[in-house]
Amino acid sequence: MSMASGGSGCAVSEINVTPLIDVLLVLLIIFMVIVPARPRGLNALIPRPAKEKTRVAEDSRTVVVQVEANGAGETTYKINADTFAKADVEPKLMEIFSTRAEKVMFVQGSSGLEFGKVAEVVDMGHRANVENIGIMTPRVIAAQ
């Protein structure tokens, strides 16, 4: 604090704000440096509708893993419309992608299914060395 004497002879006290502004500018610069320039999210691959109006599952090179919940609370796993047990999905994916150069897989979950079940299939794909895993949403399926 500084004290200044006015013309009337009495002391006037005022707050010196210059150091506070300096601290504020230093904090502003620190926060600008810390905040990332571009936030990174989940890299998602979305299937594009084919020009000749064919479905993605009809292409022999495309692998679609469907995770469906039936009324009894059990989960059914299908790879290109072939039903598999949960334990057999990962070995089948390893078999399919062992000879392929293009390692792309799509996962389609039924509505009302817990996301954890779909995440398990995505993990199975990563363990089978699949490079690109896309999630098929109802909007993407409707656009086909």
Side-chain angles (χ1 to χ4, degrees):
M1 291 185 14
S2 67
M3 300 198 47
S5 61
S8 62
C10 63
V12 177
S13 61
E14 294 179 0
I15 298 175
N16 188 2
V17 293
T18 305
L20 296 175
I21 293 174
D22 292 343
V23 170
L24 177 70
L25 290 175
V26 168
L27 289 174
L28 180 66
I29 291 170
I30 288 172
F31 285 122
M32 287 175 59
V33 171
I34 290 175
V35 174
R38 183 180 64 156
R40 289 191 55 122
L42 176 67
N43 294 332
L45 182 64
I46 300 173
R48 303 280 184 228
K51 293 180 182 173
E52 56 272 348
K53 300 285 183 182
T54 59
R55 296 193 56 89
V56 173
E58 294 173 358
D59 189 4
S60 63
R61 297 179 308 148
T62 304
V63 176
V64 178
V65 180
Q66 297 174 338
V67 185
E68 299 174 348
N70 58 12
E74 298 175 0
T75 307
T76 307
Y77 299 91
K78 293 182 180 180
I79 300 176
N80 291 346
D82 295 330
T83 305
F84 291 93
K86 182 180 178 180
D88 297 333
V89 173
E90 187 175 342
K92 182 64 178 177
L93 290 174
M94 285 184 179
E95 176 187 332
I96 291 171
F97 290 108
S98 65
T99 59
R100 291 186 180 205
E102 183 181 87
K103 297 185 178 190
V104 177
M105 174 180 96
F106 296 104
V107 179
Q108 177 184 356
S110 65
S111 62
L113 185 71
E114 294 178 12
F115 183 73
K117 302 287 184 180
V118 176
E120 288 175 356
V121 174
V122 171
D123 287 340
M124 289 179 195
H126 283 297
R127 287 191 295 267
N129 296 324
V130 179
E131 295 169 357
N132 295 319
I133 300 174
I135 307 275
M136 295 180 69
T137 62
R139 189 185 313 172
V140 171
I141 294 169
Q144 295 177 359

